[in-house]
Amino acid sequence: MNQVMNQIFYIRKSRANANNEFPIFARITILGERWDFSTGIKTEITKWCNKSYKLKGNSEATRLKNSQLTSLAHKISEVEKTLIKLGKIVNVETFKN
């Protein structure tokens, strides 16, 4: 089975709130088509690691946010597996639905 989907998390730097926290977005790329959506998680830019796509540190809040990102990544992978198992075309539109 060829990999048709890639997922990453990133900070949207243009949308800081009053507390100087930035929203973490998920990006799913399927055969060159992108779908970006908010994870609902916010963090300070200094706590974000661009290489591992998660937060740095070992505080309880950081572990909770990283756990939420891991859970979301797992759900995304499960949706992809389900679509493939059902014989549906895996593209951004079928993924959104």
Side-chain angles (χ1 to χ4, degrees):
M1 174 173 64
N2 292 338
Q3 181 180 3
V4 297
M5 185 186 81
N6 188 29
Q7 61 183 358
I8 64 166
F9 296 106
Y10 67 97
I11 287 190
R12 178 87 36 108
K13 294 179 183 177
S14 62
R15 295 192 181 177
N17 65 12
N19 297 328
N20 205 28
E21 293 179 321
F22 297 82
I24 300 173
F25 273 67
R27 172 177 288 158
I28 299 172
T29 305
I30 304 172
L31 299 173
E33 290 183 70
R34 289 181 180 173
W35 177 34
D36 297 298
F37 59 94
S38 175
T39 63
I41 303 168
K42 296 181 190 303
T43 187
E44 296 171 21
I45 201 158
T46 57
K47 293 184 179 179
W48 183 251
C49 179
N50 283 323
K51 290 185 179 182
S52 62
Y53 305 121
K54 56 184 169 179
L55 284 82
K56 302 178 220 174
N58 201 23
S59 70
E60 184 66 32
T62 298
R63 286 195 308 267
L64 176 63
K65 289 177 182 181
N66 281 334
S67 176
Q68 291 171 325
L69 292 174
T70 300
S71 177
L72 180 57
H74 180 70
K75 288 177 186 177
I76 291 168
S77 295
E78 288 299 313
V79 169
E80 179 191 26
K81 288 177 189 174
T82 302
L83 288 172
I84 291 170
K85 198 180 287 185
L86 294 174
K88 296 195 175 192
I89 296 171
V90 180
N91 61 31
V92 171
E93 289 305 314
T94 57
F95 204 86
K96 285 180 182 180
N97 297 327

